[in-house]
Amino acid sequence: MSQTTKTLFQRIIDRELPASFVHEDEHCVVIKDINPGAPLHLLVVPRKPIARLIDTTAEDQALLGHLLLVANKVARDAGHGEAYRIAINNGAAAGQSVFHLHLHVLAGRPLKWPPG
Ligand code: 5GP
């Protein structure tokens, strides 16, 4: 994939841009969000550059399960295993701004429902 077609998160995964990594494995990375919306705000990002959740297929079933398990792990490791939120914004109108699938992991403050 050429540099111009890489997503922002692909460039972070490839260490072309800096980020604060808290987890890394063969399928995904977890970084701190640059503009945190809560005391804990992590992004679980698959290495596979899937644009949106709606673009996943049955082929991605194991990967999607893995991303949830990693979200559990990083929330628990940060001391927030009892209260955290996982969010995925699918599409610009739903708030997605980076078109490389990612799970938000938010914790450390009261989280209202429904989100805005
Ligand atoms: P989305 O709006 O696509 O659901 O979430 C994108 C997230 O990426 C936002 O919460 C935003 O703060 C975060 N973000 C945008 N640019 C960067 C960056 O360069 N580094 C990191 N670590 N996070 C970023």
Side-chain angles (χ1 to χ4, degrees), residues 8-9 31-35 43 89 95-98 102 104:
L8 171 69
F9 289 158
I31 59 174
K32 293 183 179 177
D33 197 291
I34 203 169
N35 183 24
L43 302 171
N89 297 324
Q96 185 173 5
S97 59
V98 179
H102 50 284
H104 295 259

Side-chain angles (χ1 to χ4, degrees), residues 3-47:
Q3 185 163 323
T4 50
T5 61
K6 283 185 183 180
T7 67
L8 171 69
F9 289 158
Q10 195 66 50
R11 297 189 68 197
I12 287 174
I13 289 167
D14 293 345
R15 299 301 203 276
E16 294 171 6
L17 295 172
S20 181
F21 287 75
V22 303
H23 171 91
E24 192 167 3
D25 63 40
E26 68 174 300
H27 300 298
C28 70
V29 303
V30 183
I31 59 174
K32 293 183 179 177
D33 197 291
I34 203 169
N35 183 24
L40 181 75
H41 189 170
L42 303 176
L43 302 171
V44 182
V45 186
R47 293 185 185 277

Side-chain angles (χ1 to χ4, degrees), residues 96-110:
Q96 185 173 5
S97 59
V98 179
F99 286 82
H100 184 140
L101 177 64
H102 50 284
L103 284 61
H104 295 259
V105 181
L106 297 145
R109 65 167 171 79

Side-chain angles (χ1 to χ4, degrees), residues 73-89:
K73 174 184 163 32
V74 294
R76 189 187 295 120
D77 288 353
H80 295 287
E82 295 304 314
Y84 64 94
R85 179 174 292 160
I86 294 171
I88 299 174
N89 297 324

